[in-house]
Amino acid sequence: MNKQTRKYDVCVIGAGPGGISAALAAARNGAKVLLVEQNGYVGGNLVIGLPLLGYLDKDGNTVTAGIAQELVDALAERNATFGHRWCPMHNSVTLYDHEQLKIILFEKLLEANVEMLLHANVGDVNVECGKIKDITVCGKGWQIDVEAKIYIDGTGDGDVAYLAGCRYEKGPDNSGKLQPPTLMCTVADVDVSKLHDFIEKDPEQMVLSETTEVYPGYDADYFRASPNHVLVGMRKMFTELREKGELPVARDTLIYINSVVDGEVHLNCTRHAGIDGSDVFDLTRAEIEAHLQIPKLVECLRKHMPGFENARLTQIYPFLGVRETRRFAGIKTLCEKDILEGTLHEDSIGLGSYIIDIHDGAGLSTIVKKIPPYGIPYGVTVSRDVDNLMFAGRCASLDSVVMSSARVMPTMMVIGQAAGVGAAMAVKNDILPADVDVPALRENLIQAGVLMEAIKK
Ligand SMILES: Cc1cc2nc3c(=O)[nH]c(=O)nc-3n(C[C@H](O)[C@H](O)[C@H](O)COP(=O)(O)OP(=O)(O)OC[C@H]3O[C@@H](n4cnc5c(N)ncnc54)[C@H](O)[C@@H]3O)c2cc1C
């Protein structure tokens, strides 16, 4: 094994929306930053065929900007996004070209002087006197010991915090009942206009479960008006197919995400109950199951779904999408009551407002509830157990219901950006993240375009 030791101000582990924003923000605020990522590209779930959800609230007001908006602006410059569109179901939808975003992310990270280590997985975390002394990162026969002043966990599952022995919960009330993962795929040669004609003739296809709150107008006319849409529906057909034993997935609706490429849609449809996405054995089982489920699903859609007669599988994304695993204890935890009431905390570092969106791990359906914009306190990014550890992403200190809303990628970027600035301020002032001057942090974020109040449409 080749060995090396490297020193940084801030080490961010995991280059998803949370980790990337943290790395960019920390570097732009003067910190020497290393970003460690297990894949050969950056982006995490930003590059697996999903739409960006969460820029607008239920009334169409803007709630998310900062780095999250900077990326959409960069995509727009390349004609690689349809921009934001209000949606009666998801509040807003922002479709974009995922391959272009991969390139943009590398460019932004290089411009900000973020050092990167790809194909590298965190192997061990060495805690001394309540602080991480170093972490061991492994890849291709190398063991690299990284010594940093602050560590930011952006791994989604909180692998660093887990290895550091921090307290965490899984599922509502720590029940372990997790939202199921999904393996995303893309199909080409689809004529969505045929499906829109079909649902116009049979609107019952768009009636969703009783637990799904959706505003009027989520119908054929809405889908036809712009390619910038995500369709969740066809429950009637899915129920009939399931009853006949012809549906290979245990879910009650089709979810297609329209692509920026004509005739192509991304499918968010496989579902794997009882899987813990932070367990390597479960992950292995689910990846295999999902890869074998996808061709059956495509065949089923070709046979029954109007517009999908010629559908052709063109891509299976490189890893299973994991919705929910560990959530770690922070110096503050954001709870369901706060987001239902739309509390704007004095120590908010930005806003969330995406619907409560819980995919039932045991059943077939989804709980969807509209909520007002809410503030995200700085303390959700700061570990309660390890003094120099912060969170950027869905492993932050959010209860399970809050996580179901805040997990959308633009909101993850808001949390990541705040963690990055907080880390840089802690380094600059030689203090712990918990002692950062939060009003000064908020001012810094506002100067960088982050919204602390919604902008009315
Ligand atoms: C199926 C599915 C559908 C979704 N739909 C939407 C949607 O439509 N719109 C939306 O905005 N959001 C959606 N979400 C939510 C969103 O994608 C995630 O909540 C969000 O990406 C979490 O951000 P993150 O930065 O915490 O983690 P991730 O995006 O998961 O990124 C984590 C990164 O860390 C890396 N990593 C993990 N472990 C290690 C390790 N040990 N060492 C090194 N690197 C590591 C990973 O490779 C990855 O790059 C969906 C999620 C899923 C699973």
Side-chain angles (χ1 to χ4, degrees), residues 13-19 36-39 43-46 50-53 120-122 154-156 159 182 184 268 321-323 392-394 407-410 412:
I13 308 94
V36 178
E37 166 58 45
Q38 66 187 359
N39 291 322
N45 285 2
L46 280 167
L50 295 168
L52 292 163
L53 304 176
N121 204 311
V122 57
T155 62
D159 290 357
T182 293
M184 295 289 300
N268 178 348
V322 174
R323 291 190 172 84
R394 66 176 166 81
R407 70 193 174 95
V408 284
M409 298 181 287
M412 293 283 104

Short mmCIF file of all heavy atoms in Angstrom, two decimals, residues 13-19 36-39 43-46 50-53 120-122 154-156 159 182 184 268 321-323 392-394 407-410 412, ligand 1:
data_model
loop_
_atom_site.label_atom_id
_atom_site.label_comp_id
_atom_site.label_asym_id
_atom_site.label_seq_id
_atom_site.Cartn_x
_atom_site.Cartn_y
_atom_site.Cartn_z
N ILE A 13 -16.08 15.46 2.34
CA ILE A 13 -16.15 14.08 1.83
C ILE A 13 -17.51 13.88 1.21
O ILE A 13 -18.53 14.01 1.87
CB ILE A 13 -15.89 13.05 2.96
CG1 ILE A 13 -14.59 13.39 3.70
CG2 ILE A 13 -15.81 11.64 2.37
CD1 ILE A 13 -14.75 14.22 4.91
N GLY A 14 -17.52 13.53 -0.10
CA GLY A 14 -18.77 13.35 -0.83
C GLY A 14 -19.07 14.56 -1.68
O GLY A 14 -19.21 15.67 -1.16
N ALA A 15 -19.15 14.35 -3.01
CA ALA A 15 -19.35 15.48 -3.94
C ALA A 15 -20.74 15.46 -4.55
O ALA A 15 -20.91 15.50 -5.76
CB ALA A 15 -18.27 15.48 -5.02
N GLY A 16 -21.76 15.34 -3.70
CA GLY A 16 -23.15 15.53 -4.14
C GLY A 16 -23.49 17.01 -4.03
O GLY A 16 -22.61 17.85 -3.82
N PRO A 17 -24.77 17.37 -4.15
CA PRO A 17 -25.14 18.78 -4.06
C PRO A 17 -24.68 19.43 -2.76
O PRO A 17 -24.22 20.59 -2.76
CB PRO A 17 -26.68 18.77 -4.16
CG PRO A 17 -27.09 17.34 -4.06
CD PRO A 17 -25.93 16.50 -4.43
N GLY A 18 -24.80 18.71 -1.64
CA GLY A 18 -24.37 19.26 -0.35
C GLY A 18 -22.87 19.47 -0.31
O GLY A 18 -22.38 20.57 0.00
N GLY A 19 -22.12 18.44 -0.64
CA GLY A 19 -20.65 18.49 -0.55
C GLY A 19 -20.04 19.48 -1.52
O GLY A 19 -19.12 20.25 -1.15
N VAL A 36 -13.27 14.95 -1.46
CA VAL A 36 -13.03 13.51 -1.69
C VAL A 36 -14.31 12.88 -2.23
O VAL A 36 -15.38 13.09 -1.67
CB VAL A 36 -12.65 12.81 -0.36
CG1 VAL A 36 -12.45 11.32 -0.57
CG2 VAL A 36 -11.42 13.45 0.27
N GLU A 37 -14.19 12.12 -3.32
CA GLU A 37 -15.40 11.52 -3.92
C GLU A 37 -15.08 10.10 -4.40
O GLU A 37 -14.05 9.86 -5.00
CB GLU A 37 -15.87 12.41 -5.09
CG GLU A 37 -16.89 11.79 -6.01
CD GLU A 37 -18.19 11.33 -5.33
OE1 GLU A 37 -18.76 12.07 -4.51
OE2 GLU A 37 -18.64 10.19 -5.63
N GLN A 38 -16.03 9.20 -4.12
CA GLN A 38 -15.78 7.79 -4.49
C GLN A 38 -15.96 7.52 -5.99
O GLN A 38 -15.40 6.58 -6.52
CB GLN A 38 -16.70 6.87 -3.68
CG GLN A 38 -18.18 7.02 -3.98
CD GLN A 38 -19.08 6.21 -3.07
OE1 GLN A 38 -18.61 5.51 -2.19
NE2 GLN A 38 -20.37 6.31 -3.27
N ASN A 39 -16.75 8.37 -6.68
CA ASN A 39 -16.95 8.17 -8.12
C ASN A 39 -15.87 8.89 -8.92
O ASN A 39 -15.10 9.67 -8.37
CB ASN A 39 -18.33 8.71 -8.53
CG ASN A 39 -19.46 7.86 -7.97
OD1 ASN A 39 -19.35 6.63 -7.90
ND2 ASN A 39 -20.53 8.50 -7.55
N GLY A 43 -21.05 15.27 -8.42
CA GLY A 43 -22.48 15.59 -8.61
C GLY A 43 -23.41 14.74 -7.77
O GLY A 43 -24.51 15.16 -7.45
N GLY A 44 -23.00 13.51 -7.44
CA GLY A 44 -23.90 12.63 -6.69
C GLY A 44 -25.22 12.50 -7.44
O GLY A 44 -25.25 12.30 -8.66
N ASN A 45 -26.32 12.71 -6.74
CA ASN A 45 -27.64 12.55 -7.36
C ASN A 45 -27.99 13.67 -8.34
O ASN A 45 -29.01 13.61 -9.01
CB ASN A 45 -28.74 12.51 -6.28
CG ASN A 45 -28.76 11.19 -5.55
OD1 ASN A 45 -27.94 10.32 -5.80
ND2 ASN A 45 -29.70 11.04 -4.63
N LEU A 46 -27.11 14.70 -8.41
CA LEU A 46 -27.36 15.76 -9.41
C LEU A 46 -27.25 15.21 -10.83
O LEU A 46 -27.72 15.85 -11.77
CB LEU A 46 -26.34 16.89 -9.25
CG LEU A 46 -26.55 17.91 -8.14
CD1 LEU A 46 -25.30 18.74 -7.93
CD2 LEU A 46 -27.75 18.82 -8.45
N LEU A 50 -32.47 13.15 -12.50
CA LEU A 50 -33.54 13.77 -11.71
C LEU A 50 -33.73 15.24 -12.10
O LEU A 50 -32.81 15.88 -12.62
CB LEU A 50 -33.18 13.70 -10.22
CG LEU A 50 -33.12 12.30 -9.62
CD1 LEU A 50 -32.49 12.33 -8.24
CD2 LEU A 50 -34.50 11.67 -9.56
N PRO A 51 -34.89 15.79 -11.82
CA PRO A 51 -35.09 17.24 -11.98
C PRO A 51 -34.64 17.95 -10.72
O PRO A 51 -34.60 17.34 -9.65
CB PRO A 51 -36.61 17.35 -12.11
CG PRO A 51 -37.12 16.24 -11.23
CD PRO A 51 -36.11 15.10 -11.33
N LEU A 52 -34.33 19.24 -10.81
CA LEU A 52 -34.10 20.03 -9.60
C LEU A 52 -35.46 20.50 -9.11
O LEU A 52 -36.23 21.12 -9.85
CB LEU A 52 -33.22 21.23 -9.93
CG LEU A 52 -31.77 20.91 -10.32
CD1 LEU A 52 -31.12 22.10 -11.01
CD2 LEU A 52 -30.96 20.49 -9.10
N LEU A 53 -35.77 20.18 -7.87
CA LEU A 53 -37.06 20.58 -7.28
C LEU A 53 -36.76 21.51 -6.11
O LEU A 53 -35.79 21.28 -5.38
CB LEU A 53 -37.82 19.35 -6.77
CG LEU A 53 -38.10 18.24 -7.79
CD1 LEU A 53 -38.79 17.05 -7.11
CD2 LEU A 53 -38.96 18.75 -8.94
N ALA A 120 -11.96 7.72 -4.58
CA ALA A 120 -11.38 7.59 -3.23
C ALA A 120 -12.50 7.51 -2.20
O ALA A 120 -13.42 8.34 -2.21
CB ALA A 120 -10.48 8.79 -2.94
N ASN A 121 -12.42 6.52 -1.36
CA ASN A 121 -13.47 6.27 -0.37
C ASN A 121 -12.90 6.43 1.03
O ASN A 121 -11.77 6.02 1.28
CB ASN A 121 -13.96 4.83 -0.55
CG ASN A 121 -15.36 4.65 -0.01
OD1 ASN A 121 -15.65 5.06 1.10
ND2 ASN A 121 -16.21 4.06 -0.82
N VAL A 122 -13.70 7.02 1.92
CA VAL A 122 -13.20 7.17 3.28
C VAL A 122 -13.20 5.80 3.96
O VAL A 122 -14.18 5.06 3.92
CB VAL A 122 -14.02 8.24 4.07
CG1 VAL A 122 -15.48 7.91 4.11
CG2 VAL A 122 -13.50 8.41 5.48
N GLY A 154 -20.36 15.07 3.46
CA GLY A 154 -21.33 15.25 2.37
C GLY A 154 -21.63 13.92 1.70
O GLY A 154 -21.95 13.89 0.52
N THR A 155 -21.50 12.84 2.45
CA THR A 155 -21.65 11.51 1.84
C THR A 155 -23.11 11.06 1.74
O THR A 155 -23.37 9.96 1.28
CB THR A 155 -20.88 10.44 2.65
OG1 THR A 155 -21.44 10.38 3.98
CG2 THR A 155 -19.39 10.75 2.74
N GLY A 156 -24.04 11.90 2.13
CA GLY A 156 -25.46 11.50 2.12
C GLY A 156 -25.77 10.60 3.32
O GLY A 156 -26.58 10.94 4.18
N ASP A 159 -21.20 8.81 6.27
CA ASP A 159 -20.19 7.76 6.54
C ASP A 159 -19.10 8.23 7.50
O ASP A 159 -18.63 7.45 8.33
CB ASP A 159 -19.53 7.31 5.22
CG ASP A 159 -20.49 6.52 4.34
OD1 ASP A 159 -21.64 6.27 4.77
OD2 ASP A 159 -20.09 6.15 3.22
N THR A 182 -34.43 3.89 -5.30
CA THR A 182 -34.85 3.72 -6.71
C THR A 182 -33.63 3.78 -7.61
O THR A 182 -32.78 4.65 -7.41
CB THR A 182 -35.83 4.87 -7.11
OG1 THR A 182 -37.04 4.73 -6.36
CG2 THR A 182 -36.14 4.86 -8.59
N MET A 184 -32.53 4.87 -11.13
CA MET A 184 -33.04 5.69 -12.24
C MET A 184 -32.58 5.13 -13.59
O MET A 184 -31.49 4.58 -13.70
CB MET A 184 -32.52 7.12 -12.11
CG MET A 184 -33.00 7.87 -10.91
SD MET A 184 -34.74 8.31 -11.00
CE MET A 184 -34.76 9.32 -12.49
N ASN A 268 -38.40 7.25 -12.83
CA ASN A 268 -38.13 7.16 -11.39
C ASN A 268 -39.15 6.13 -10.88
O ASN A 268 -40.18 6.50 -10.32
CB ASN A 268 -38.34 8.56 -10.78
CG ASN A 268 -38.15 8.60 -9.28
OD1 ASN A 268 -38.08 7.57 -8.63
ND2 ASN A 268 -38.10 9.79 -8.73
N GLY A 321 -30.35 5.21 -6.30
CA GLY A 321 -30.66 6.46 -5.61
C GLY A 321 -31.23 6.15 -4.23
O GLY A 321 -32.25 5.48 -4.11
N VAL A 322 -30.55 6.66 -3.20
CA VAL A 322 -30.96 6.35 -1.81
C VAL A 322 -31.64 7.59 -1.22
O VAL A 322 -31.04 8.66 -1.16
CB VAL A 322 -29.73 5.94 -0.97
CG1 VAL A 322 -30.11 5.76 0.49
CG2 VAL A 322 -29.14 4.65 -1.54
N ARG A 323 -32.90 7.43 -0.82
CA ARG A 323 -33.66 8.60 -0.33
C ARG A 323 -33.35 8.92 1.13
O ARG A 323 -33.31 10.07 1.52
CB ARG A 323 -35.16 8.35 -0.47
CG ARG A 323 -35.63 8.34 -1.89
CD ARG A 323 -37.15 8.33 -2.00
NE ARG A 323 -37.56 8.51 -3.38
CZ ARG A 323 -37.65 7.54 -4.28
NH1 ARG A 323 -37.41 6.30 -3.93
NH2 ARG A 323 -37.98 7.80 -5.53
N ALA A 392 -23.15 18.43 5.40
CA ALA A 392 -23.66 19.11 4.22
C ALA A 392 -24.45 18.09 3.42
O ALA A 392 -23.86 17.25 2.76
CB ALA A 392 -22.51 19.66 3.38
N GLY A 393 -25.77 18.12 3.54
CA GLY A 393 -26.55 17.15 2.79
C GLY A 393 -27.58 16.48 3.67
O GLY A 393 -27.86 16.94 4.78
N ARG A 394 -28.11 15.36 3.20
CA ARG A 394 -29.26 14.77 3.88
C ARG A 394 -28.92 14.10 5.21
O ARG A 394 -29.81 13.71 5.95
CB ARG A 394 -30.01 13.81 2.95
CG ARG A 394 -29.25 12.57 2.56
CD ARG A 394 -30.11 11.63 1.72
NE ARG A 394 -29.28 10.62 1.08
CZ ARG A 394 -28.84 9.53 1.67
NH1 ARG A 394 -29.14 9.28 2.93
NH2 ARG A 394 -28.06 8.69 1.03
N ARG A 407 -34.58 17.36 1.55
CA ARG A 407 -33.65 16.50 0.80
C ARG A 407 -33.50 16.90 -0.67
O ARG A 407 -32.57 16.46 -1.34
CB ARG A 407 -34.11 15.04 0.90
CG ARG A 407 -35.37 14.72 0.14
CD ARG A 407 -35.93 13.37 0.52
NE ARG A 407 -37.21 13.14 -0.11
CZ ARG A 407 -37.38 12.48 -1.25
NH1 ARG A 407 -36.35 11.98 -1.88
NH2 ARG A 407 -38.58 12.31 -1.76
N VAL A 408 -34.43 17.72 -1.21
CA VAL A 408 -34.29 18.06 -2.63
C VAL A 408 -32.97 18.81 -2.87
O VAL A 408 -32.49 19.54 -2.00
CB VAL A 408 -35.49 18.85 -3.18
CG1 VAL A 408 -36.68 17.94 -3.40
CG2 VAL A 408 -35.85 20.02 -2.29
N MET A 409 -32.44 18.64 -4.05
CA MET A 409 -31.04 19.02 -4.27
C MET A 409 -30.76 20.52 -4.12
O MET A 409 -29.74 20.89 -3.51
CB MET A 409 -30.59 18.47 -5.62
CG MET A 409 -30.66 16.93 -5.60
SD MET A 409 -30.14 16.11 -7.09
CE MET A 409 -31.48 16.44 -8.20
N PRO A 410 -31.65 21.43 -4.59
CA PRO A 410 -31.36 22.86 -4.34
C PRO A 410 -31.29 23.17 -2.84
O PRO A 410 -30.43 23.97 -2.42
CB PRO A 410 -32.54 23.56 -5.02
CG PRO A 410 -32.96 22.60 -6.11
CD PRO A 410 -32.80 21.24 -5.50
N MET A 412 -30.45 21.07 -0.47
CA MET A 412 -29.18 20.48 0.00
C MET A 412 -28.02 21.42 -0.30
O MET A 412 -27.07 21.53 0.47
CB MET A 412 -28.94 19.13 -0.71
CG MET A 412 -29.91 18.04 -0.34
SD MET A 412 -29.56 17.31 1.26
CE MET A 412 -30.77 18.00 2.32
C1 LIG B 1 -34.76 8.12 -6.29
C2 LIG B 1 -34.60 9.52 -5.81
C3 LIG B 1 -35.35 10.53 -6.41
C4 LIG B 1 -35.18 11.83 -6.00
N1 LIG B 1 -35.84 12.82 -6.67
C5 LIG B 1 -35.43 14.09 -6.52
C6 LIG B 1 -35.86 15.09 -7.44
O1 LIG B 1 -36.65 14.81 -8.33
N2 LIG B 1 -35.38 16.34 -7.26
C7 LIG B 1 -34.54 16.68 -6.24
O2 LIG B 1 -34.12 17.84 -6.17
N3 LIG B 1 -34.12 15.75 -5.35
C8 LIG B 1 -34.53 14.47 -5.49
N4 LIG B 1 -34.09 13.49 -4.64
C9 LIG B 1 -33.35 13.86 -3.42
C10 LIG B 1 -31.90 14.17 -3.67
O3 LIG B 1 -31.40 13.56 -4.82
C11 LIG B 1 -31.02 13.79 -2.47
O4 LIG B 1 -31.68 13.96 -1.25
C12 LIG B 1 -29.75 14.66 -2.50
O5 LIG B 1 -29.03 14.38 -3.65
C13 LIG B 1 -28.90 14.44 -1.27
O6 LIG B 1 -27.75 15.22 -1.40
P1 LIG B 1 -26.40 14.83 -0.68
O7 LIG B 1 -25.38 15.82 -1.14
O8 LIG B 1 -26.66 14.66 0.76
O9 LIG B 1 -26.08 13.36 -1.20
P2 LIG B 1 -25.82 12.68 -2.60
O10 LIG B 1 -26.46 13.40 -3.73
O11 LIG B 1 -26.19 11.26 -2.40
O12 LIG B 1 -24.24 12.78 -2.77
C14 LIG B 1 -23.36 12.09 -1.93
C15 LIG B 1 -22.01 11.98 -2.62
O13 LIG B 1 -21.09 11.40 -1.70
C16 LIG B 1 -20.37 10.35 -2.34
N5 LIG B 1 -20.02 9.39 -1.29
C17 LIG B 1 -20.87 8.65 -0.55
N6 LIG B 1 -20.19 7.91 0.35
C18 LIG B 1 -18.88 8.19 0.17
C19 LIG B 1 -17.70 7.74 0.80
N7 LIG B 1 -17.74 6.87 1.81
N8 LIG B 1 -16.50 8.21 0.36
C20 LIG B 1 -16.45 9.11 -0.68
N9 LIG B 1 -17.56 9.56 -1.31
C21 LIG B 1 -18.76 9.13 -0.89
C22 LIG B 1 -21.36 9.80 -3.35
O14 LIG B 1 -20.71 9.10 -4.40
C23 LIG B 1 -22.05 11.08 -3.84
O15 LIG B 1 -21.35 11.69 -4.89
C24 LIG B 1 -34.27 12.15 -4.97
C25 LIG B 1 -33.54 11.14 -4.34
C26 LIG B 1 -33.70 9.84 -4.78
C27 LIG B 1 -32.87 8.78 -4.15
#
